[in-house]
Every structure is written in C-alpha cells, then in structure tokens.
Amino acid sequence: MEHPSISRRRLLALFGAAASVPVLAACGSSVGGGGGGAPAGGGGGGAVKVGLVVPQSGVYAALGTDMQRGWELWLGQNGGKFGNYTVETVVADEGETPNTGQPAVQKVLQSDNVDVVVGLVNSATALGVANLLTESKKLLVVTNAGAGDVTGAKRTPYIWRTSFTNAQVSAAMGTHLAQSGFKDGVFALAPDYAAGTEVIAGFTKTFEAGGGKVVGTAKPAFGKTSDYQPFLTQIQQSGAKATFCFFSGSEAITFVRQYAQFGLASTIPLYGSGFLTEGNVLPQQGDAALGVQTTLHYSDQLDNPANKAFVESYTAKYGESPSCFSAQTYDAANVLNRALRTATALDGDSIAGALGGIGTVEDSPRGPWTFDGQTPKQNLYLRKVEKVNGTLVNAVVQDLGQQSQPL
Amino acid sequence: MLVSVLNGFSVGFLLFVLAVGLSIVFGMMDVLNLAHGALFLCGAYLGATFAGGWGGFLGALGLAAVFGLVGGGLLSLMTEPLRKRSHLDQALLTLGVALVAAEVLAIVFGDDPLSVAAPPGLNDSVQVFGVSYPTYRLVIIGVGAVLALAVYLVVERTRLGALVRATVADREMVSVLGVDNRLVKAAVFAIGSVLATTAGVLGGPIYGARPGLDATVLILALVVVVIGGLGSVRGALIGALIIGQVDIVGKYLLPDLSSFILFAALALVLVLRPQGLFGGPVGTAGAR
Amino acid sequence: MTAIEAPTVPGGAPASAPRVTRARTGIIAVAVLVVLAAAPFMLAPFATTTLTRVLVFALFAVSLDLLVGVTGLPSLGHAAYLGAGAYAAGWVSINVTAEAPVPLLVGAGFGALAAALTGWVTVRSHGVFFLMLTLAIGETLQQLADTWETVTGGANGLTGIPAVRLAGTPLANAGFTYWYVLAVGVIGFALVVMVARSPFGAALRGIRDNEPRMRALGYSTARYKYAVIVMAGAVAGLAGALLVAQQRLVTPADMGFATASFALLAVIIGGAGSLWGACLGAALVIIIRDALGPSLDGHGTLVLGIVFVLVVYLLPRGAAGLRIYRRRR
Amino acid sequence: MSVLKCVGLSRSFGALAAVSEVDLAVGAGARHALIGPNGAGKSTLFKLVTGTMKAHAGSVELAGRDVTGLSEAKRCRLGMSQTLQHASLFASMTAAETVALAAQRHGGGRISLVPRKQPAVAERAAELLADVGLDGREHVAVASLSHGERKQLEVALALACRPTVLLLDEPAAGMSPAERARLVELLAGLPAEITVLFVEHDLDLVFALADSVTVLHLGKVLLSGTPAEVRASDAVREAYLGAGRREELFLA
C-alpha cells in the first residue's frame, strides 16, 4: 500500500526544486576576491549602472513612487546622462523592513554589479547595509533615511545623504518656538522608536537653549497606537501653550484628526516636524490639518525658479505635485551628475572624492545647499497648512535659515 | 482624568464587538480564527470607501454584514474537511487565509493609510467634563452597549443561544440530539464574522484603515479573549472593558511606558489565572 | 542534512526501517551535504547569500519542529528566541569579541535563557491555547527589543556588527560565511535529530500523541515540555547567531509575527515531525519570499498564504505530525 | 495491612454528589472488584484514586503514604498504575514502542538525551507483550490493532510501570469471549505481590476473579465483603433490582 505521505513528499521535492532553479541558476563564483564582483568599466564615457532601491510594497510604497518619479524626471530632463556616462538604472524593492531592504541592496550590489546605490527610506536598512557598502567600496546616496548616525556616529566615507537628519529638521522648530512667545510651556511627543527619540532630542536641545521650557512629554507605542486621547488630555492639563510632535504615515493622519476632534486645535496650536503633513497624508487629514505649522527643508510651494520649474514639470508628467521625497531623489541625480563630470573612475572612492568637491548645489528645488559631513547643510522653512483653491498645501511662511546636522 | 475613563469605555465597547466573535467561535468550535483581524480590516476598508453621508455609512454597515456572512460561511466551510483533525489544523488554515486576505486587501485598496470620516452630525465634538470629546465616540459607547445587550440576550435567552452554549459544553451530545452541528457552527462563524466586519466599519473613524491593521487588531482581540476567558460572552465583555480602561487610563498616567501597559496587564493575568477571568479550564490542563 | 528521521525504537526491537532504507538515507544525506558544500563554487555571491539565509532559516525551522512536530506544541512566538540569540550574539561581537565560538555560544545561551524565562507560562497549556500564549509572548519580547534602545538599538536595530572571525581571520566574503553557517547548521541539525531519536525524544512523541496517558505512565509532562522549550530556544538562539553572522544586522522585524508564522509554515509544509522536511519547507518559504517576492511586486506572502492553505488540506495526517508510516501487515 | 486505603473520599459535580464519604481498604495481594449499577460513581471513584481527578474531601493512602495531593505521575512512580476504560494509546507508535515507552520510565535508568539501544527495556517490552498475548504483533502500528488487542496492550502498558497496585477500569469492556478468557487467565496469573483493584460490569468476571468486592450505590459504599456475602445480600439485590435484570444477578 503506497503511503500518501511518500507521494506528497515527492510532490514537495519537485515543487521545491522547480522554485529554486531560477534563483540559483546565476553562475559565477562567490569565493574569489574580497566582497562583491570587480568594479565595472572605469574612465570617461561608457555607462554608469545605478541601483535604485526604493519601497515598492508595504507601508512606504507611496514614498518609493515619489522617489522613483523624482529620479526619472531628472534623467528625462538631462538626456539620461551623468557627465558623459549614460545612466542605466536597476530598480529593486526596499520593502518595509531590513528583512527585505538588505537583500535588495545585496542583490543590486552582488548580482547586478551596480556602481552606485541610490534610495533607502528605512533608517534601520540604511544603517544595516553600511558594512556591505564599505566592504564592496561602492557609494550609497541615501534619499530619505533620517537617522543621525548614518552620517554621524556611524559615518562611513561610502554613504552620503541628500535628504536630512531627524534632529536637523526639529532643531529649527526648537529655535523658532523659543523666539515666538511659547517659551514658558511646550508639550513634546513622538512615537516610542529611534527616529521619534532623535526628533524630540533635537527639538528640546535648541528649544531649551533658546530659554524655552518643555512642560510634558509622551511616547505613544510606535505602530500600535490608534487612540491618542490619553495624550491629548495630558497636553490640555499640562498647561502647555503649544504642542510639538513628530508622526508620519497613518499615525500622522490619526493624530492630527484626533487633535482637532478633541478640540485642541483651536486652543493649543500644533507644531511638528515636516513629515506630519507631507505628501499623501495631508489630503487624508483634511481640514483637521488647517493651521498646523511644521518645519522642513522643502515644500512644493517654495517660491524659487528651480522649484517652480521642478513642480511644473513634475505635475505635468505625473498629475500630482512633488513631495520632499521626490525632491530629495531629484537632487541625488543632480549631485551624481556634478560628481561624475569630475570623477576619474566609477568606484566608490573616486565618486565620493568628487562629491566632496561639487560645492553649492544652487539649482536645487529646495534652494541652494552644500554637503557638510556628507549630509546637506540646507535652509529649513516654516510651513503652514492652508487651503489654496480647494487643495491643502504646506504654504511657506518663513525661511528659518541654514541648518547643518546637529551632532 | 474622567474623560480618559469615558474614552476607556468607548475603546472597551469597540474591543468587545471585535473580540466577542473570536471568543464565541473559539469557545464553541475550538477554532482559533486568526483571520478575524482580516475581517475587521475588510469592514474598515468598506467604511473608508463609502464614507461621507449617512447613506454611505449605513450602506457600508449593510455590505459589512453581507461580507461577514459570506466570509464566516466560507471559513466554516473551509474548516469542515478538517473537522476530524486537530484544532491546530483549523487554526493554521485560518492563518493561511489571513495571509491571503491581507495581501488581497493590500492589492485592492493599495498601501496608503486611509482615514475615515464619521457620518455627518457625528463628526464634531461636544463638551464633556469640561473638555471637548468627539460625539462619534459617545455613539460608539451607545452602539457597543446595545450590541453587547443584543449578543448577551441572543446567547442567553434564545433557542439559538441555548444551542450555542450546549455545543460549547459538549458538541457530541448536541449532535446526538439530532442537531446538525455543522449548521450551528456555520451560523456562529457567520455571526462572529459579521461582528468583526461591523466592528471594522464602526472602528473606521477611530482606527482608520491601513495594511497591517489586521495584525494589530488580532493581537488586541487575543489579549481580550485571553484575559476575559474563552467562549464566554460575559468574559469577552468584562475583558474588553477592563482592557479599554487599562490601556487608556494607563497611557494617561504613565505616558512614557505606553508601549508596555497592555502586555504587562496580559502577563499579570496569565500568571494569576491562566485560563482567564471567566473562562473554564478550556485550554489548560482541564479535562477535555 | 537529509538523514530521514526514522525514530529508533527506544530500546525496542531493531530500528523499524529495514537495513536497506537506513543505508539509502545515509547515501542521500552525504550526497546532499557534498552538493551543499560545493555550492559556493558554482553560485554567484548573491545566490550564495540567499542560500545562506535558507540555511539559517532551516536551522530555525528545525528548532521549531522539535516543538511542533516532535512534542506537538505549536508555537507562534518562537521567533522571539531567534531574536534573543541574534541580539546577544551581535552585542557580544561588537563589545567583546567576534571570535568564532563566542557569538554562537552566547547566542544559544541567551536563546535558552529567553525560553526559560517565558516558557514556564505555557507548559500548563497545550494545543491552540499554547499557540495563543506563545503569540502573546512573541509580541511582548518584540516590543521589548523595539524600545530597549540602549542595548538593542531599538527600531534602528543593532548595526555595524563585525564579521565573524575564525582563528583570527574575519570571514569576508559570501563563500566563507556560507561554509561557516553550513558547518554550524549541520551540527545544530544533528543535535536536534539526536534528541528527537533518543529515549527523551520518544517521551516527547508520547506527549504529542497523548499527554494525559503519559502522565498516567509516571512522566511529569510539564517538566519535559519545559525542558524541550528551553532546548528549542537554545537551537533557535544558535540560528540567531548564524543570522548575525550572515546579515550582520538585527532588527525587531527579525523576531516578529511574520518570521514566526513563516517558520511554522515551513515546518507544516515539510510535514511536522520530519526534521529534514522542515529544512525543505524553509528553503521553499525563503525562496518564495526573497527571490520570487520582488517579481510579484512585493506580494510574496500571497503565494505563501495559498501554499499554506493547500498544505494544510493536503496533509494526510494533520499538522500534529502523527506520523504513521510503517507499512506493516 | 491494607496497601490502598481511602478515607471519607468525596467528589461532587455541582449539586450531584458523585462520590460521598467513601471508605475503602484493599489488602496486599488482593483482587478487589468495585461494582455497582450505572451511575453509582465507580468511574469517579476510580479517577479519584488514580489522581486523574482531584477529590473535594477525604484522603487516599498508598502503602501507608498519603498521596491525595500528588499528581498522577507521582502516584505512578510510587507504584500505582492504571488502564483506562477507553483504551487511549499513542497513535504514531507500534505496540512494542508503546510498552517500551513505559518500561524505560521505570527501568531505573535516566531517560537519556542521546539515541542508544536499551536492550533491557526492549526485552521487558517483548516479555510483557507475550504475557498479554500480543506476541508476534510487536511491530504492528497501534492504529491497526483490534479493540481487544488494544485493551490487552493497555494491561501490558500498566504492568510495564512495575506497579504494586494495579487499577483496571472495565478491562474486559468490548472484548471477545476468547480475549476475555485470556484476560482472566492473565489477571489470575499475576504475581501475588501485585494488588489489583478493578471496576467491572461483567459479574461473571467479577466473581471469577475477585477475592473481595465493594458495591457502590448512589456514590456511597453499600457493602464491602467477600463475593459470597455480596451475592447473598438483599440490599445489593435491591440496588441492582431497581437498576438491572434479576436473572443476571443470580447466576448459578
């Protein structure tokens, strides 16, 4: 009597083998030489292969789409070339966590043999792949992950950033609030995870330096809190004159809506780091977001010629106005183009060296900025949510001046 | 402080509507329905798509009932062939269904988090204890209380309720009495699922709808069922209200420890009464 | 790696599988080991890294199978012990030494410790209630890793973990790391097979089939369940140390619900109780998630869910792994 | 000196006092039967003695030692072994493996974590299987054993625990006459130092085997004595008359 489990196991083995063949078919040896494959062709001319690792699935998918659009827009406007290298882009899905992010970076480095990696939304992934880049001596241009360590405590010459650091964004708000009448009481809260802690630390440092007093703090559970009433009641009873907070994604939507529902919006003005009202969260927040003021290094309402052109061509091509994620990746292409004009070769060291020498990026949509410690030293803008002919936007209220990464 | 206690009730009642379906299905058929969270999320997305007017809200509730019945019936049908096998197989089956459902919802509704507007008239706030409190949540307390009463009456007072309780006590005996407990099981699965999708629509304006919400809500429902005890409506109600208070008032008193409050409460109950406050020794070493 | 697990009769008549099947399994095992060992020569670095991830996940699935398949304890929180081992191994590699045996021993030790500290809550329960308790424990430990920033790096994870050093030389490339993981993985697998085929293993299978009867035979089953939970925790911790050796990064996502449910899926696909089946199941899960996932634009889990449902139906004897496979008259 | 003594043992399920204040003393080497009409509380009393169920009051003594609070496992290790009314065995094992599992626990040695042949255990298992008439069926999967054979395996399993007190819950239930006769022969042939307490409906078996009998009725002890005394007692006939057929009691 043939036992069923034998036939099932044969079926299983067959299915397993069939599934694994396509993956492991790529031949070549992974024992020779240190780290990834040998660097691709060098010298002037020829092609440069770029691995664009952005989220195409999971919670950050919308950010990934904005980034890819920013990248393709710049290439479209500049004949798809960096210097006189034609750009060949390989896109990989960063996903939501390092479990998918790190393999994606490994894939573009080891099997697609790219010269430069661009992208990464998740800070844990950016920090996690540092050793991959240093060992394969390839350059990574981070276009979002805001953890301070990436270009601070855990800096490596192979990782540069065209976005921001968490503390840099909130430090500008700290100084501003200290000078605008809220000195004697601000309540600060952010989710209980690394980025939240960094933002609050950056804010508190400059706010207290300006003589301000933080009257209360709270750390809602990250990713698990959907009812902020306990914290809102605490804010009301702490006697704070204003609230500073940091939330992104679905938490930003829920918090801002509940902030209005519990009546705090009219009595205690809400301030935050730019991501509270940036990109696709704003339309979901609706009128609850009206009047919320945030600081960020970009807004599609910025009044400078570079941004006007950028917003116009982006909206024409994609039917939506760009977010800071699109601008950050647009700039990544810009700085790589400048670097490859002077870089002698395509390996990490030469491009990194060239990047150090590109000086001010004066034609950036966010306004002129320069690299300082491998991350932008840039203007931070105070923005306020207003309704402009029917749609909610982050109108620029004031330029809070240049701010580098607080160390 | 008082508003936190009030809000604790609103969260508690919503949790009850969510958890009671899981508790009955598990208590009755020993099927741990890990797809319960996906049913909730389906309701939430229905609420999000039809948000706007009262027509939309009631339409969403109606559709949620339909999806709940279909979903419950389907799940009951799918677990039927596994009836002779261990309860673990049925739980694993629902885990597979939960994975598939979550991905299908992500494909259909996309990855962006959606916010859900409360129906007009309930979208504003009202002064309670000198602080403004969203009217919608007051309504949730009312609706939750009514649903709790309804479920309690159905289970305790009606013939179907008696049948459900009898099947929880001894499924073989019920089948000996000539009742085809496959129908009873399908009915309870359907009711449990309708409760889950309804909770999704009701929870929309508070929780919104986003990928990953199904796992968060499943954990919450499991905590309520573990603390409240399995298979008992009373346990689910008391468990949900306790969790509502512990979660909300706890976060108000200890804002910096809010990540741990829920799990600390769970650990406490597991240490003191492993079978939960009201549950019989269903899962533990009790005679089965 | 594929010695077909035929439980030796605990001291009873000679092994049930007749002499010829025992030889056949020996040959298959050696053959697979040779192919696996030669893999890095034939594969590109990325493929080797994927295979390394498969080996790590396979050892983790085998440790879970010791609970699910051999003892009948379905756990949805086993990833917490993988995480405990990974964080411990990572921390020791950064702050003390990355020299070969240290991270492995520390990882296995902390995996066992985490299992010992949390396992006692679950030994009184069984079946689906055990499943629920372990789910709650897994979530609690993941939350701990998410917020204990000073040690675990919180949501950013523990990063910058130095490569493992073997007798002083760091394992720099994908090939050496692969061999290291293969060697330790085979040892871990052999340990689990050994326990499963020992008299202790026979007692575990008795508990799986009929725990009340085992109590009536004089076995205090709670103590056996606690012991096997700690052992499985240790092997999971060892797998955690290998995870660190491979990806040199640990984040709370590594110990979350997704990892635990995929491991349970791997065990069920392989036929709970057949330890080498768990390895095959692990290979399938990782290949679908990591290799085919991106091409399904990130919806690899959909395929896994469907496979899961099919496998639960296809299983002739249920996930509890009641293996009746001797074809006697 | 009685090797098994129950004093004031009671257990109720809600209002129903299934067992109330039962005193029972079984001498060493006795073959003691526990009979009574359906619902008299026999199985409940059996479970209280084996420790499967916790008593609400009263005590159980094994060889002079109070075991009331001890778990089934501890009582088994102290020499009390049991077979269950509905044979409950290990679905994935063969007959030999089942008995070996019990034998290895009571073989004196430690349960080792390393695979190793245990010849002593194997021998004992084979010997026990032969005793209960399952020789030649050692390697048959339990699932494909007949009902009678499974009951025989239960007895072998209980004996593997080297019991001083053997508790059998309706050992002959569902057995064919041939298997029943073999069981009687087996139980009669048990060494004298093993005390046997068995619950049984089949009064032929009871009077064939038992040297002392206790009759339970509505949770109380109606009568304890020799088989002859029980057969002659009106009270017992009353209890059964009300519950059972007359002629069954008056077997020749």
Side-chain angles (χ1 to χ4, degrees), chain B residues 4-91:
Chain B
S4 295
V5 172
L6 174 71
N7 193 42
F9 277 109
S10 118
V11 167
F13 274 114
L14 190 58
L15 271 182
F16 166 74
V17 177
L18 161 69
V20 68
L22 184 74
S23 177
I24 292 183
V25 167
F26 183 69
M28 193 191 104
M29 303 307 293
D30 281 337
V31 173
L32 176 62
N33 181 8
L34 294 172
H36 200 76
L39 287 165
F40 177 93
L41 185 54
C42 173
Y45 272 123
L46 281 176
T49 355
F50 296 97
W54 272 99
F57 187 69
L58 297 177
L61 277 175
L63 262 177
V66 170
F67 272 76
L69 288 174
V70 167
L74 200 63
L75 278 170
S76 168
L77 215 63
M78 287 174 83
T79 51
E80 220 22 58
L82 307 177
R83 205 158 24 78
K84 286 183 295 308
R85 300 226 297 259
S86 82
H87 307 311
L88 172 64
D89 290 18
Q90 292 161 5

Side-chain angles (χ1 to χ4, degrees), chain A residues 56-62 187 192 217-231 233-234 236-237 249-250 253-254 257-258 260-264 280-281 283-285, chain B residues 1 3-5 7-8 10-11 111-118 123-125 131-134 137 205-207 210-211 213 216 247-249 251-253 255-260 263:
Chain A
Q56 297 171 317
S57 63
V59 174
Y60 302 122
F187 193 98
D192 193 357
T217 64
K219 297 169 108 184
F222 174 61
K224 294 197 174 68
T225 309
S226 33
D227 188 347
Y228 290 96
Q229 175 273 326
F231 310 108
T233 312
Q234 252 221 323
Q236 284 166 323
Q237 283 165 352
S250 66
I253 299 172
T254 321
R257 280 167 49 81
Q258 287 178 8
Q261 273 170 12
F262 281 82
L264 282 87
N280 63 354
V281 294
Q284 294 294 335
Q285 290 160 338
Chain B
M1 173 63 179
V3 77
S4 295
V5 172
N7 193 42
S10 118
V11 167
D111 293 308
D112 296 347
L114 306 175
S115 74
V116 182
N123 214 342
D124 44 23
S125 303
V131 168
S132 67
Y133 189 74
R137 289 172 183 238
I206 298 174
Y207 288 170
R210 58 175 169 81
L213 182 60
T216 317
D247 189 32
I248 297 300
V249 175
K251 284 179 179 159
Y252 171 71
L253 298 174
D256 287 342
L257 295 176
S258 50
S259 317
F260 282 96
F263 292 117

Side-chain angles (χ1 to χ4, degrees), chain C residues 8-13 194 197-200 202 206 208-210 213-219 224 231 326 328, chain D residues 73 76-77 82 88-90 92-94 97 100-101 104-106 111-115 117-118 122 136 139 154 157:
Chain C
T8 332
V9 172
M194 193 184 70
R197 298 171 67 171
S198 69
F200 179 82
R208 171 194 63 198
D209 294 349
N210 189 341
R213 194 68 181 100
M214 286 298 279
R215 277 198 288 272
L217 294 180
Y219 286 90
Y224 276 75
M231 276 181 223
R326 264 173 297 289
R328 207 70 62 237
Chain D
C76 174
R77 287 201 293 272
Q82 63 174 307
S88 96
L89 298 161
F90 304 103
S92 75
M93 296 185 185
T94 66
E97 281 171 355
L101 196 54
Q104 76 174 15
R105 183 69 192 75
H106 298 275
I111 305 283
S112 99
L113 276 167
V114 177
K117 292 280 177 279
Q118 301 177 78
H139 299 305
E154 278 273 339
L157 206 51

